[in-house]
Amino acid sequence: MNALNIPTITLNDETEIPQLGLGVFKVDPGETERIVSDALEVGYRHIDTAAIYGNEAEVGAAIAKSGIPREEIYVTTKLWNDRQGDAKAALSESLDKLGLDRVDLYLVHWPVPSQDTFVSAWEQVLDLREAGLTTTAGVSNHELEHLERIIEATGEFPAVNQIELHPEHQRQELTAFCRANGIAIEAWGPLAQGKSDLLTLPQIQEIGAAHDKSAAQVVLRWHIENGTIVFPKTTRRERMEENAALFDFELSETEHAVLTALEAGRNYSTNPRDM
Ligand SMILES: NC(=O)c1ccc[n+]([C@@H]2O[C@H](COP(=O)([O-])OP(=O)(O)OC[C@H]3O[C@@H](n4cnc5c(N)ncnc54)[C@H](OP(=O)(O)O)[C@@H]3O)[C@@H](O)[C@H]2O)c1
């Protein structure tokens, strides 16, 4: 099985992450093994899952059956909110399900400010990195004030912050802080989770037509050109191929700016501050 030729981003711990992967949020466990197997056959080598998705075992089964050497596949999973006091046991359970002895990236999934245990969760994830159970330590859904607190408490900058990000929700202040501090940005919901009319906007379709690409490819290419890491979710093999065919065209400056101008401060999922 040949890997796609996907560029990598160098993280602040000097490791490399493929800039494109497959996300498996809301992928039914009964379908996950087939979907991840398809993605690996198409040439994806980066899978983003989470304990709460309930499909780590099926992700692991697909990886094991692929026969692809472990070091060639980048695997991310996440610490769920009710395990922030118990990260070591939580990661051990994830690793058992995945059938792996380490993940490449472990993320504190949400800060959950009402619970106020995210600093301790971050400290535990750093310990798990030291123990070799995750190569890289990162966070997800952390707003500026959450990043500032974990950095102040530990002096350690997360390698990534995985946040909702798409043309209608660009998080300028937060992404500027991350970029200035060497925190790579991972976009979840890069296609706005299919909840917006983004892919039917005439201006995006026109740009696509000019490059013989779909609207989804135009949006994903915009993320890639911003240096963002993406793992669009799809259950369909033909869309896995489509979503990975991003490296044979470029948006002009004007085209790129058309997508940037779609900023509307519009998020389609939970605001991390409200949890
Ligand atoms: N850290 C977090 O809190 C968090 C939260 C949400 C998501 N995530 C991660 O981010 C990943 C991606 O985000 P997401 O799954 O929420 O949303 P997304 O990738 O923006 O959108 C997925 C939706 O877009 C559709 N789609 C995919 N490719 C398409 C294409 N080429 N043309 C048209 N439609 C297309 C999919 O439908 P089909 O499946 O029918 O193709 C699905 O309905 C997740 O899977 C997960 O790994 C993380």
Side-chain angles (χ1 to χ4, degrees), residues 107-172:
L107 304 179
V108 177
H109 203 146
W110 293 87
V112 202
S114 63
Q115 187 173 283
D116 202 18
T117 52
F118 62 90
V119 172
S120 155
W122 173 238
E123 289 167 341
Q124 293 169 65
V125 169
L126 291 173
D127 289 344
L128 293 169
R129 184 188 64 187
E130 293 317 301
L133 298 178
T134 180
T135 304
T136 296
V139 298
S140 177
N141 298 305
H142 277 47
E143 298 290 332
L144 269 182
E145 67 269 23
H146 310 128
L147 291 174
E148 282 165 357
R149 273 190 59 198
I150 64 170
I151 293 163
E152 192 180 298
T154 62
E156 291 264 9
F157 290 71
V160 313
N161 190 16
Q162 183 179 122
I163 54 174
E164 180 180 351
L165 195 70
H166 45 76
E168 294 174 90
H169 192 53
Q170 297 179 37
R171 316 303 322 273
Q172 293 295 359

Side-chain angles (χ1 to χ4, degrees), residues 23 25 48 140-141 162 189-191 193 233-235 239 242-243:
F25 178 46
D48 184 275
S140 177
N141 298 305
Q162 183 179 122
L191 299 172
Q193 300 189 306
K233 169 260 171 188
T234 182
T235 57
R239 284 187 173 171
E242 176 185 335
N243 293 349

